Amino acid sequence: MHRELLSGVRTGAVGSVHSWELVTAVDGPGTRLTVFLAGCPLRCLYCHNPDTMRMRDGQRVEVTEVLRRLHRYLPVFRAAGGGLTVSGGEPLMQPAFLARLLRGARELGVHTAVDTSGFLGANASDALLDDVDLVLLDVKSGDDATSRHVTGRDLQPTLDFGRRLSERGTEIWVRFVLVPGLTDAVDDVARVADHVAAMTSVSRVEVLPFHQMGREKWERLGMDYALTGTSPPDAALLARARAQFAARGLTVY
């Protein structure tokens, strides 16, 4: 079954899917069907969905099944200005399946968004990106050293992907998670803001406060959670970080 899944993932006929949900004003504009794919190359210390890290832990789902569900919600999308968001995990771990989902959504006239760290941006072909209306780009930090500490991976691929999207004119919403003692240093936030300001197609920045909602999942999976003693940022810290982005002329939430 595992070999069958991998074969299907390579062709895009099937994908490893963790879950899906209908949400409003969370993963893009309007009411959206958000499909969470399984598998991620990053190991973010604050990940609130550690159960999506391994592709083999997902469900084998045919692309036609997701598109049938998408078709069912067409009246909702049209009424609420919503669409499809593919998240994870990391959707670009399954580029063929992602491409088929996006193409099918585009053929239905549905707005499309991809929620990604951009680390695997090289996996996204130009044809795939032609079917993307919006990228929710998770920028984890402002430099490679902090990025490696927070995620286990380098930052540069994310920046390269953001530059590529900007050159194409693809709309970007940047997401940055503010973690006290980890990603909140004034200089690091300033570097993130500078990187984002250089991405000319960014239309908004979401500074997301760290929370402990994923802690129970880590413990249930028997994984070591490094941020047990970390508190969410207070209002003053959030305001300072948001002001740093706004000072670069960015629209901040």
Side-chain angles (χ1 to χ4, degrees):
M1 179 63 72
H2 183 55
R3 287 194 296 272
E4 181 184 356
L5 172 60
L6 289 178
S7 176
V9 167
R10 280 193 292 270
T11 64
V14 300
S16 180
V17 177
H18 173 268
S19 58
W20 44 45
E21 62 183 14
L22 198 65
V23 295
T24 300
V26 176
D27 297 316
T31 299
R32 311 188 71 79
L33 177 67
T34 300
V35 180
F36 298 90
L37 304 190
C40 184
L42 274 58
R43 293 295 179 264
C44 299
L45 298 179
Y46 52 70
C47 179
H48 63 277
N49 286 320
D51 46 343
T52 67
M53 287 181 176
R54 301 190 304 183
M55 191 184 298
R56 65 177 178 268
D57 291 339
Q59 309 168 60
R60 182 182 183 276
V61 177
E62 294 184 1
V63 67
T64 52
E65 180 181 349
V66 182
L67 293 175
R68 279 196 298 269
R69 184 175 294 245
L70 194 67
H71 186 272
R72 196 181 313 154
Y73 290 121
L74 284 179
V76 176
F77 299 149
R78 289 166 181 159
L84 170 71
T85 297
V86 188
S87 185
E90 171 51 64
L92 286 171
M93 279 195 74
Q94 302 181 54
F97 183 69
L98 174 62
R100 286 205 185 190
L101 277 181
L102 295 171
R103 175 93 301 257
R106 179 58 61 88
E107 290 172 352
L108 290 171
V110 172
H111 181 277
T112 58
V114 176
D115 182 5
T116 175
S117 71
F119 181 76
L120 295 178
N123 285 357
S125 67
D126 287 340
L128 183 154
L129 293 177
D130 285 342
D131 289 328
V132 178
D133 294 307
L134 171 68
V135 172
L136 308 175
L137 186 63
D138 302 310
V139 181
K140 311 292 185 176
S141 63
D143 60 73
D144 271 339
T146 305
S147 178
R148 285 191 292 270
H149 178 59
V150 172
T151 73
R153 300 287 189 171
D154 289 339
L155 173 66
Q156 192 60 47
T158 297
L159 303 181
D160 292 342
F161 189 54
R163 185 180 306 109
R164 180 181 171 199
L165 294 171
S166 291
E167 290 171 352
R168 293 176 54 88
T170 304
E171 184 180 10
I172 303 171
W173 290 6
V174 165
R175 288 172 160 179
F176 171 69
V177 180
L178 187 67
V179 187
L182 190 64
T183 65
D184 65 331
V186 172
D187 289 346
D188 190 49
V189 175
R191 283 189 290 268
V192 177
D194 287 340
H195 290 316
V196 174
M199 301 176 191
T200 56
S201 63
V202 172
S203 61
R204 67 188 279 171
V205 176
E206 298 177 350
V207 179
L208 306 176
F210 165 76
H211 57 69
Q212 290 280 354
M213 291 171 62
R215 178 180 173 183
E216 290 185 5
K217 288 184 180 180
W218 284 73
E219 294 172 348
R220 190 165 60 247
L221 293 169
M223 299 168 65
D224 182 32
Y225 186 62
L227 301 180
T228 299
T230 302
S231 299
D234 59 25
L237 179 54
L238 269 173
R240 187 266 285 169
R242 286 172 174 152
Q244 287 185 266
F245 285 97
R248 272 70 171 182
L250 296 160
T251 300
V252 188
Y253 291 83

